[in-house]
Amino acid sequence: MATTSSRTPRTDPLTLEVVELIGTVVARYYEEYDAAAGKHALTGAQARVLGLLSLEPLPMRRIAQKLKCEPSNITGIIDRLEARGLVERRPDPADRRVKLAAPTDEGLAVARSLRESLDFAREPLAELSREERLSLRALLRRMIGEGGETNGTGGTVGVGEITENER
């Protein structure tokens, strides 16, 4: 006896429209980020690395993981940011064999200025309520196979549920 799949075919019009809309959101984000970066004489990749480092110093391997690229690419980006005085390398206090990339004071100022110059890319979800953002996050996690986030009691957080950290 043949079984039928409960999955929606990939070619239905709704799926195609949703995929197209996701692509438009991503493209708009990168276009605005790249334009703002150019005003600071940075590439989009350099600006994204600097923005990431403005949150916390990170080893190159972790930056590459977060930005989904090769560590060798990050090394070149860090080299160029370091040459401009925006980033410095320093030993990781937890493991002195590891070097962290960290923004300098000037790098923090550039990252802040860059962030303030963004509209859509700074807050692409501005038009969504908190509940809508929580639902969207849960749906996107399901799409990429992460499922729900654990809620600390062994269960998972479902669509629209709020974790303890978000209360």
Side-chain angles (χ1 to χ4, degrees), residues 2-10:
T3 60
T4 59
S5 173
S6 63
R7 298 183 92 180
T8 304
R10 293 181 184 181

Side-chain angles (χ1 to χ4, degrees), residues 63-127:
I63 297 167
Q65 288 170 341
K66 285 183 172 275
L67 297 180
K68 311 268 190 272
C69 66
E70 291 295 318
S72 60
N73 292 343
I74 297 303
T75 300
I77 292 169
I78 295 298
D79 287 345
R80 288 184 286 284
L81 291 171
E82 190 174 38
R84 287 199 43 198
L86 302 176
V87 168
E88 63 185 10
R89 289 175 169 96
R90 58 173 81 141
D92 183 343
D95 182 349
R96 298 191 59 79
R97 296 170 298 176
V98 175
K99 292 283 188 197
L100 298 177
T104 61
D105 289 340
E106 183 181 356
L108 286 171
V110 169
R112 186 173 26 261
S113 174
L114 178 67
R115 199 169 28 254
E116 289 169 358
S117 72
L118 299 171
D119 289 317
F120 179 79
R122 180 179 58 219
E123 185 57 55
L125 306 179
E127 297 298 316

Side-chain angles (χ1 to χ4, degrees), residues 123 125-137:
E123 185 57 55
L125 306 179
E127 297 298 316
L128 302 180
S129 72
R130 177 167 172 60
E131 292 75 24
E132 289 169 328
R133 289 191 309 262
L134 288 167
S135 293
L136 179 59
R137 180 185 66 184

Side-chain angles (χ1 to χ4, degrees), residues 28-67:
R28 186 170 168 194
Y29 174 89
Y30 281 115
E31 286 169 9
E32 185 182 36
Y33 215 97
D34 289 347
K39 292 176 185 171
H40 293 276
L42 297 170
T43 65
Q46 290 170 338
R48 284 186 282 284
V49 167
L50 189 58
L52 187 60
L53 294 176
S54 73
L55 303 174
E56 65 177 320
L58 294 167
M60 255 75 79
R61 184 168 304 284
R62 186 71 184 121
I63 297 167
Q65 288 170 341
K66 285 183 172 275
L67 297 180

